Amino acid sequence: MTTGHTDIWRGMQGPALQVQESLKRDPYVGDLYIFQGRNGDQAKILWHDGIGLSLYAKTTGPRIVHLAGGAVSISAAQMAYMLEGIDRRKPQLTWRPKSAG
């Protein structure tokens, strides 16, 4: 995951170039790279599946990650929280069954 914010309106090549130049990583090896917009309520995920680049866009709700400079690794669970719009610092159960039957 990249830290800070990025121009969320850029297409595929902009984030791929940012991964290559800023993070000094290869955007074509199959890692997921997550970019947040300035307000933190939108995210884009860049992924190369071995055939071509994919760019996924998601409105995430309130800001989930607030870090400064560089890159950080996150777990699959943290990524799932972010994509669901759940604050990883205070996750809350949002649905409970009313009865067992």
Side-chain angles (χ1 to χ4, degrees):
M1 170 180 246
T2 63
T3 59
H5 63 270
T6 191
D7 181 1
I8 208 70
W9 299 108
R10 296 187 307 166
M12 271 187 242
Q13 296 308 317
L17 190 61
Q18 185 177 353
V19 167
Q20 186 174 314
E21 292 183 352
S22 298
L23 301 178
K24 307 291 188 230
R25 306 216 37 196
D26 183 356
Y28 304 106
V29 297
D31 294 335
L32 294 172
Y33 295 96
I34 304 170
F35 300 86
Q36 280 191 305
R38 181 175 304 277
N39 295 330
D41 62 349
Q42 293 182 348
K44 282 194 174 179
I45 301 171
L46 182 70
W47 175 56
H48 191 275
D49 63 1
I51 297 172
L53 278 175
S54 295
L55 187 64
Y56 301 92
K58 170 77 175 177
T59 301
T60 61
R63 176 182 292 272
I64 302 302
V65 179
H66 180 69
L67 301 167
V72 64
S73 293
I74 62 173
S75 70
Q78 288 171 318
M79 186 176 90
Y81 274 16
M82 186 192 78
L83 295 177
E84 289 294 331
I86 299 170
D87 188 334
R88 65 176 166 70
R89 295 164 295 186
K90 21 180 200 175
Q92 297 177 3
L93 182 61
T94 58
W95 178 82
R96 266 188 210 151
K98 302 230 187 267
S99 66

